[in-house]
Amino acid sequence: MSRADPSRPFFFTASSSDDHSSSQEQDVDNNSDSDSPRSRRDLPPLPLKRPPPHRNHHRRRSQLGPDGAPPSSFTFPFQAHPGNPDPVPGLIPTPRRMSLGSIPMTSRSPSVNSQLPPPNPPFLNGADSSPYKSHSGSVSLANLHRASTSTNDPLPRVSSATTVFRSPFLSPASRPSSLWAPPPIVPPSASPSVLALPLPQKKPLLTTRLKAKLTDADKPWLTNRRPSRRWETASWWVTFIAIIVGLLAAAALCFQGWETVNVLTDSQLCLVMQDDFTGSSLDSDNWSLDVELGGFGNGEFEMTTDSSSNVYISNEQLYIMPTLTSDTIDGGYSSVMDGGTYQLQDCTAQGASVDQGAWVLLDRRQNDNSTTANSTTTTGNGNSTTTGSNGNSTTTGGSGNSTTTGGSSNSTTNSTTSSSSPCTAVSNAQAGTVINPVMSGRLNTRGKKSIKYGRVEINAKLPQGDWLWPAIWMLPQGNGSSNSSQGTGVYGPWPVSGEIDIMEARGNLPSYPAQGSNYVRSSLNYGPFAGGSTPISSGSSTTANLLKSIYGWVSTKRGNYASGFHLYAFEWTGEWMRFYTDNRLQAMINLNKITSKNSDSYFFNTGGFPGVAMNASSGKEVVVADPWNTAYGGSAAAPFDQQFYIVIDLAVGGTSGWFPDSVGGKMWFDGSATAMRDFAAAQDTWSATWPSSADDRAFRIDYVKMWQLCGA
């Protein structure tokens, strides 16, 4: 050579003429993608050119001369291998490339000289009859075109998933492209297919459908049917009749249960009183106000007044509104605690003595945490006292809201009233007395409206606030004399003549441990001795009367009974009693059968009273006799077989045990002589829980209805 050859790879042979001759011997028609009919033998060999010196690459390609041709136009050894779709150099005016297969190769080692095998891409492998390959392994576009126009047309059409491949090692601008579709995957056991992978064919399942109806011969189990057909028919009828009998028995049982439910129909009742509070003031034909500050037998901390601030009608509802005494009297809170005197106007208390309670004992009321709803207990408050020589358990406790005037000389009380008069209160810090810190209201129908057997309905909304005690209850009318004390009936003073509590509740929040405003309860209270007449020793300095309480309650898990109006009702005959809230399904007490004095349903027998008791004052034993056996012709329902009237009040606190000691932040003790003073000293604490709105703080009564059992 006259000039130095360009740098060449080690695998090129030294003789370029051999390369040209080797490449010229190949069939262009089979080894090139060119559509030109010219063969490679007619083309002059292309000399290898030395790359031009470094030039400015920013010049246009069209400005490059023969020596400035782009590198992609050089004769490169891998441009003419069989199967390369590049056109054969020289067939078109622009510089083209030649296949890699036309260039002889040599080993790096001078002793080894072998020609590299042509590339064999995996996507070109397949049957020799594939139109993509010629006999030497290269692809001809002309052959592809001719094959695609043949009648058999075995050429697969390129789908939308066709992939564009470009020749390797070339710049994108000069890299030719070809279209290629991925070949189908042919399972080894099946014949090759270039179209698609055949889906496996499942062998259809045999049908289980009968071709023809089975005959009796195909049913061997029917061969012995005829002899047993009679028994089969009989068993079918027996089953059918048993079902019918069961349905009839169930219907009869339901009907009997329906008939045995004690219900007072409207035709059995005669209306005695209906007060919807539509007027501007209380109807004096129905109601009387109790004006007193003596505690009403429970050591209550309020004074009841006839003030329009405490008892009034608004929005056709009766409001019993508790207020602070310090907001009314001269001197305010300081006068309540010390140095004040308050004279209650229009006081209705009987006699000149303080209205004392019928008993004094810690936790006289029922223990709410140890009783069950609708249950009958032998203890009025969960306390048991052993009395007499027989060691029988006697009940101790107190009445709900009963009033007794005066008392026996044997009665020992621990009263926290503020003075010796039930109408005057004096506060003295040294003596431990205070003026009742709360004013409230109490009204009754005594001497005006009463019933013996019938129904009572009160629709009411309970108050909200700590230590508020709303109650709807009944006391015996007695002989009708206005001189007799409240609670004195035909059988004697309270509790001999009984007490009926239709509804009692607490204003404390539902979180209060001893049943808050989400509970309401009812009770029947009675005993064989008059209040204070026979105190019973309990082994300590405290005394109490024998008392029996039958009680129960209902509760709500959604809200409380202070959030809206609820119906509180009492149905009562000589044979049964029912207390319920809203409907009869929510019965607090349900006494179904009161039959005779010889049965367990007789109230004296139910009480479980001891045969004898000891008078703590005299130290003598006293026989516990049945006070209702012969007196006034008492029936099996005695003492609840006489006229009773309604009492509605809103009490505050007290020492009767209704609010158990050391529960819910209680700030006084029932046995303390300064219980009311301790309560008044914490006024800022408990008054803060009382709502400012009268609609939420007041005990609101929508209506009161009372029916007498006709003919009773």
Side-chain angles (χ1 to χ4, degrees):
M1 295 184 182
S2 59
R3 57 179 179 178
D5 294 334
S7 301
R8 303 184 61 180
F10 69 92
F11 49 81
F12 288 179
T13 58
S15 174
S16 61
S17 60
D18 294 339
D19 298 340
H20 301 327
S21 61
S22 173
S23 62
Q24 291 175 359
E25 292 176 357
Q26 299 189 15
D27 187 4
V28 176
D29 194 37
N30 295 330
N31 298 333
S32 175
D33 288 340
S34 175
D35 294 333
S36 173
R38 298 175 60 186
S39 64
R40 188 172 294 183
R41 296 185 182 90
D42 299 333
L43 298 177
L46 295 177
L48 295 177
K49 297 182 180 181
R50 182 183 301 272
H54 177 72
R55 298 180 184 272
N56 189 356
H57 294 289
H58 297 284
R59 299 181 62 185
R60 295 177 177 269
R61 180 176 298 180
S62 60
Q63 297 175 352
L64 298 178
D67 294 336
S72 60
S73 64
F74 298 161
T75 303
F76 232 113
F78 45 78
Q79 292 181 341
H81 63 80
N84 187 12
D86 293 337
V88 178
L91 295 183
I92 55 178
T94 58
R96 303 289 288 179
R97 296 175 294 271
M98 56 188 302
S99 300
L100 180 64
S102 62
I103 301 186
M105 307 286 177
T106 182
S107 173
R108 183 186 295 259
S109 174
S111 60
V112 180
N113 187 10
S114 62
Q115 185 171 347
L116 293 176
N120 191 15
F123 56 82
L124 292 180
N125 293 335
D128 294 338
S129 60
S130 173
Y132 282 92
K133 291 182 63 179
S134 65
H135 68 276
S136 60
S138 64
V139 178
S140 173
L141 295 179
N143 291 343
L144 293 177
H145 177 72
R146 287 193 295 269
S148 63
T149 56
S150 63
T151 56
N152 296 330
D153 194 11
L155 178 64
R157 300 303 177 186
V158 180
S159 64
S160 61
T162 300
T163 305
V164 177
F165 286 87
R166 298 184 180 276
S167 299
F169 308 107
L170 298 181
S171 62
S174 60
R175 186 179 302 164
S177 62
S178 60
L179 299 179
W180 172 82
I185 301 175
V186 181
S189 59
S191 60
S193 173
V194 296
L195 296 177
L197 179 65
L199 296 176
Q201 298 295 331
K202 290 186 178 180
K203 193 173 182 179
L205 299 176
L206 297 178
T207 180
T208 57
R209 184 177 181 182
L210 298 177
K211 296 181 179 180
K213 185 178 180 180
L214 296 177
T215 61
D216 291 343
D218 298 326
K219 304 175 182 178
W221 58 87
L222 298 179
T223 55
N224 298 327
R225 183 170 180 244
R226 298 300 178 186
S228 61
R229 183 176 181 84
R230 181 184 306 171
W231 296 106
E232 291 180 0
T233 303
S235 64
W236 186 90
W237 279 106
V238 168
T239 304
F240 179 76
I241 293 174
I243 294 174
I244 297 300
V245 171
L247 292 176
L248 293 177
L253 186 62
C254 294
F255 180 76
Q256 182 182 7
W258 174 268
E259 288 293 321
T260 56
V261 173
N262 298 315
V263 177
L264 291 177
T265 62
D266 293 341
S267 61
Q268 296 177 276
L269 300 174
C270 297
L271 184 65
V272 174
M273 185 187 78
Q274 178 175 350
D275 198 338
D276 298 321
F277 304 105
T278 55
S280 58
S281 61
L282 284 175
D283 188 348
S284 59
D285 293 337
N286 296 333
W287 303 101
S288 298
L289 291 172
D290 289 328
V291 181
E292 188 180 339
L293 51 72
F296 297 101
N298 295 317
E300 299 166 11
F301 301 152
E302 85 286 350
M303 65 175 79
T304 58
T305 75
D306 58 358
S307 170
S308 58
S309 299
N310 301 119
V311 180
Y312 59 93
I313 293 177
S314 177
N315 301 322
E316 297 186 353
Q317 296 173 3
L318 172 64
Y319 281 66
I320 303 179
M321 179 72 174
T323 60
L324 298 178
T325 304
S326 59
D327 295 338
T328 302
I329 66 174
D330 296 335
Y333 180 73
S334 60
S335 296
V336 171
M337 299 301 294
D338 187 28
T341 301
Y342 185 78
Q343 182 68 38
L344 187 61
Q345 299 297 321
D346 302 324
C347 183
T348 60
Q350 300 282 335
S353 61
V354 177
D355 189 10
Q356 298 176 350
W359 75 100
V360 176
L361 182 68
L362 294 179
D363 297 330
R364 296 172 187 80
R365 280 283 177 177
Q366 300 92 318
N367 187 345
D368 295 337
N369 298 326
S370 62
T371 56
T372 57
N374 300 325
S375 65
T376 301
T377 64
T378 57
T379 60
N381 57 5
N383 296 325
S384 178
T385 304
T386 302
T387 60
S389 60
N390 56 6
N392 291 332
S393 174
T394 63
T395 62
T396 59
S399 79
N401 304 321
S402 67
T403 301
T404 58
T405 304
S408 169
S409 59
N410 294 329
S411 175
T412 302
T413 64
N414 188 16
S415 176
T416 60
T417 52
S418 56
S419 70
S420 60
S421 172
C423 300
T424 303
V426 177
S427 60
N428 188 301
Q430 186 175 1
T433 61
V434 294
I435 299 174
N436 301 51
V438 178
M439 294 181 174
S440 187
R442 166 171 161 156
L443 60 160
N444 64 75
T445 62
R446 184 188 183 200
K448 298 179 179 180
K449 305 293 181 181
S450 63
I451 60 171
K452 175 187 176 181
Y453 308 140
R455 179 194 295 167
V456 178
E457 290 183 358
I458 299 97
N459 194 42
K461 179 182 180 297
L462 304 187
Q464 186 74 62
D466 286 355
W467 320 120
L468 296 179
W469 180 3
I472 302 169
W473 47 299
M474 303 181 76
L475 287 174
Q477 178 70 31
N479 56 15
S481 173
S482 60
N483 295 325
S484 62
S485 61
Q486 291 193 31
T488 301
V490 297
Y491 299 107
W494 182 93
V496 180
S497 292
E499 173 188 325
I500 301 172
D501 295 336
I502 299 175
M503 188 282 301
E504 290 182 287
R506 300 176 180 89
N508 300 63
L509 292 174
S511 58
Y512 179 67
Q515 297 184 350
S517 58
N518 57 330
Y519 282 82
V520 292
R521 63 189 300 163
S522 301
S523 64
L524 292 171
N525 305 294
Y526 60 97
F529 293 113
S533 62
T534 309
I536 305 301
S537 173
S538 60
S540 63
S541 60
T542 58
T543 58
N545 295 110
L546 295 177
L547 180 70
K548 169 66 179 180
S549 290
I550 302 173
Y551 60 92
W553 64 75
V554 296
S555 63
T556 177
K557 295 182 178 180
R558 297 183 178 180
N560 54 66
Y561 291 99
S563 60
F565 283 88
H566 294 270
L567 178 67
Y568 305 100
F570 169 53
E571 293 179 324
W572 167 36
T573 70
E575 291 78 31
W576 57 271
M577 293 181 179
R578 179 187 295 115
F579 299 77
Y580 63 90
T581 300
D582 291 333
N583 57 71
R584 294 182 178 89
L585 297 178
Q586 300 189 70
M588 294 175 281
I589 299 177
N590 197 357
L591 303 178
N592 291 322
K593 294 182 180 180
I594 304 173
T595 55
S596 68
K597 293 183 178 181
N598 296 325
S599 65
D600 292 338
S601 62
Y602 182 44
F603 285 103
F604 183 81
N605 297 336
T606 302
F609 301 113
V612 294
M614 180 177 290
N615 189 312
S617 299
S618 64
K620 297 180 180 180
E621 291 185 350
V622 180
V623 176
V624 181
D626 179 5
W628 313 296
N629 188 24
T630 57
Y632 303 100
S635 66
F640 305 104
D641 58 350
Q642 57 182 310
Q643 294 283 329
F644 276 75
Y645 62 90
I646 296 177
V647 181
I648 302 176
D649 76 302
L650 178 56
V652 180
T655 59
S656 65
W658 180 245
F659 297 99
D661 288 342
S662 303
V663 175
K666 182 180 176 183
M667 59 282 298
W668 74 96
F669 290 96
D670 291 342
S672 173
T674 60
M676 187 185 298
R677 184 175 184 85
D678 296 338
F679 176 78
Q683 176 173 309
D684 291 342
T685 301
W686 49 260
S687 63
T689 66
W690 293 7
S692 59
S693 171
D695 291 340
D696 295 327
R697 184 196 297 187
F699 186 16
R700 297 163 58 188
I701 313 298
D702 184 32
Y703 63 80
V704 177
K705 298 179 182 180
M706 187 161 53
W707 293 268
Q708 172 81 34
L709 188 63
C710 298

